[in-house]
């Protein structure tokens, strides 16, 4: 009968909650929270101001009554280069290290010291990995993966036990984008085509922040306090979401003239600028100037012949952008001065023909390296590649015994030498020192 079924379900649910609570207690996120706070205060004491990108022609600022308009460009701390162990260089990378700057040479050595071993491979979600995020904590290596069926898996990599990974089902459709909150170490935000949720990993609940009929594709935070976010829609529009409002609908939804928006990314310093990428369009817009229709981009990044899978600003100054396109090219743009049209600075031939069973490649910058990015590859033996923004291949991560599949989605730790690649059956591969 209905009642006992319900209570059986309730009991299962309670058991789940208890198990989740145990998992998160084991993560000791409160400890990493304290550690993160320490790092944040230490960094603030030596903040380096960097020049913000100049827009070529200044338009008069049309003020809108949105809270997020108070966003100010801020200086951000220099990224410290991690300790560099001695290691053999990768034989498959170009052999002309002499041309590299000492920084890049050291970086290459650190990449060579990162290896994949059997115990650092784990099936974390049931199906194809569509998105990943890595927690900034240095004491716990916590990786989140979202799959095609709405599952989010969390894996405490260093934990020896089988219980090191835990899966939730906060969504019904592919989890297309995830970010840990920059201000609350317990919060993981996840986006699926119909909802944006905030998972509190200590309470194991995923609260709905926003719901839409218009098929979300990606999001990014507009402010470091993670209160507001820009969300891209598959049909091309972008929306602004403010978590402080009660409403479940976005605050503002605007037509940017795109047929598709696959990724959105906010400039790391001048947070009024965001990058949108879709069909063959990659443009920078100024959030302060958005109106419901006929939005003119600040800057258009030209040259894509087929659909663009991703476009991201370089992590420290935002002065470069890397894109991946179905025309089998990776393009790098100089966005130091955001002129109205920008042509590619360098173009790298790269097979991006992932086909229908694999998630499309996205080239992501190493958050520790302003000039280097990571991308999946179709090449055999299977590998994950690292390029410099000059177009030079710096390193290929591979392992003949352990890596036999394409890793479409990758994520790099913001402070440590850790790279995670996810494949199309939900398996994660962690390369670390
Ligand atoms: C409990 O968790 C499992 C996976 O962790 C899930 O498949 C199941 O639906 C959950 N049950 C309830 C009642 O929440
Ligand atoms: C999300 O995707 C599913 C399956 O493709 C579809 O049925 C549903 O309408 C989509 N939701 C939105 C809001 O587009
Ligand atoms: C929703 O967006 C996804 C990509 O994020 C796309 O594959 C899917 O076809 C879209 N669904 C609809 C109903 O437009
Ligand atoms: C994903 O990776 C695992 C482990 O490396 C491998 O066994 C599996 O076949 C891969 N999945 C696909 C679809 O290639």
């Amino acid at each position: 009968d209905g009642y006992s079924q319900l209570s059986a379900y309730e009991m299962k649910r309670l058991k789940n909650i208890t198990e989740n609570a145990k998992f998160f207690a084991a993560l000791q996120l409160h400890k990493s929270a304290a550690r993160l706070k320490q790092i944040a205060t230490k960094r603030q004491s030596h903040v380096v101001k960097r020049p913000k990108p100049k827009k070529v022609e200044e338009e008069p600022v049309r003020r809108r009554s949105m809270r997020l308009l108070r966003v100010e460009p801020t200086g951000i701390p220099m990224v410290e280069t991690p300790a560099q162990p001695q290691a053999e260089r990768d034989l498959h990378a170009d052999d002309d290290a002499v041309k590299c700057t000492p920084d890049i040479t050291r970086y290459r050595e650190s990449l060579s010291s990162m290896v994949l071993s059997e115990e650092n491979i784990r099936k974390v979600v049931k199906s194809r990995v569509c998105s990943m995020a890595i927690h900034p904590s240095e004491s716990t290596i916590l990786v989140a993966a979202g799959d095609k069926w709405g599952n989010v898996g969390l894996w405490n990599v260093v934990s020896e036990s089988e219980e090191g990974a835990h899966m939730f089902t906060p969504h019904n459709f592919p989890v297309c984008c995830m970010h840990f909150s920059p201000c609350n170490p317990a919060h993981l935000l996840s986006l699926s085509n119909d909802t944006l949720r905030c998972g509190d990993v200590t309470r194991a609940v995923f609260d709905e922040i926003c719901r839409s009929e218009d098929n979300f594709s990606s999001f990014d935070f507009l402010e470091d306090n993670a209160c507001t976010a820009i969300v891209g829609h598959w049909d091309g529009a972008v929306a602004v979401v403010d978590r402080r409002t009660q409403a479940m609908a976005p605050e503002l939804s605007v037509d940017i003239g795109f047929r598709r928006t696959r990724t959105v990314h906010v400039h790391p310093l001048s947070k009024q600028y965001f990058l949108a990428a879709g069909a063959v369009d990659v443009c920078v817009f100024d959030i302060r100037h958005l109106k419901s229709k006929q939005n003119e981009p600040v800057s258009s990044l030209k040259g894509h012949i087929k659909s663009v899978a991703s476009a991201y600003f370089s992590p420290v100054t935002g002065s470069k952008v890397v894109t991946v396109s179905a025309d089998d090219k990776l393009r790098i743009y100089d966005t130091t001065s955001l002129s109205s049209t920008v042509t590619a600075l360098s173009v790298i031939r790269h097979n991006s023909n992932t086909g229908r069973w694999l998630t499309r490649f996205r080239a992501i910058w190493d958050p520790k390296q302003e000039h280097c990015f990571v991308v999946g590859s179709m090449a055999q033996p299977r590998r994950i590649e690292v390029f410099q923004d000059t177009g030079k291949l710096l390193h290929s991560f591979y392992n003949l015994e352990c890596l036999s599949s394409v890793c479409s989605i990758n994520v790099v730790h913001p402070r440590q030498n850790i790279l995670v690649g996810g494949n199309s059956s939900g398996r994660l591969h962690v390369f670390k020192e």
Side-chain angles (χ1 to χ4, degrees), residues 207-254:
D207 290 326
E208 189 169 297
I209 294 174
C210 185
R211 172 170 283 279
S212 167
E213 304 285 302
D214 310 322
N215 212 11
F216 292 140
S217 58
S218 69
F219 77 100
D220 194 15
F221 301 115
L222 285 161
E223 298 165 274
D224 288 333
N225 63 15
C227 285
T228 53
I230 182 115
V231 187
H233 286 164
W234 176 247
D235 71 359
V238 297
V240 172
V241 171
D242 191 328
R243 292 173 60 187
R244 292 162 297 195
T245 61
Q246 289 298 309
M248 278 298 156
E251 304 272 294
L252 173 77
S253 185
V254 305

Side-chain angles (χ1 to χ4, degrees), residues 82 94 120 133 192 235 281 286 337 342 345 362 385 390 397 412:
D94 295 354
N120 291 328
S192 183
D235 71 359
D281 307 295
D286 188 331
S337 64
V342 188
L345 193 66
R362 296 174 204 159
E385 293 173 327
T390 54
F397 285 102
V412 182

Side-chain angles (χ1 to χ4, degrees), residues 402 405 423-425 427 429:
C402 303
S405 57
N423 80 3
S424 64
S425 52
R427 204 124 352 191
H429 307 76

Side-chain angles (χ1 to χ4, degrees), residues 9-10 12-14 16 19-20 126 166-169:
Y9 176 84
E10 267 302 299
K12 180 95 196 302
R13 200 176 72 85
L14 283 175
N16 266 5
E19 279 169 14
N20 295 346
K126 285 186 182 154
H166 218 82
M167 202 184 74
F168 306 85
T169 311

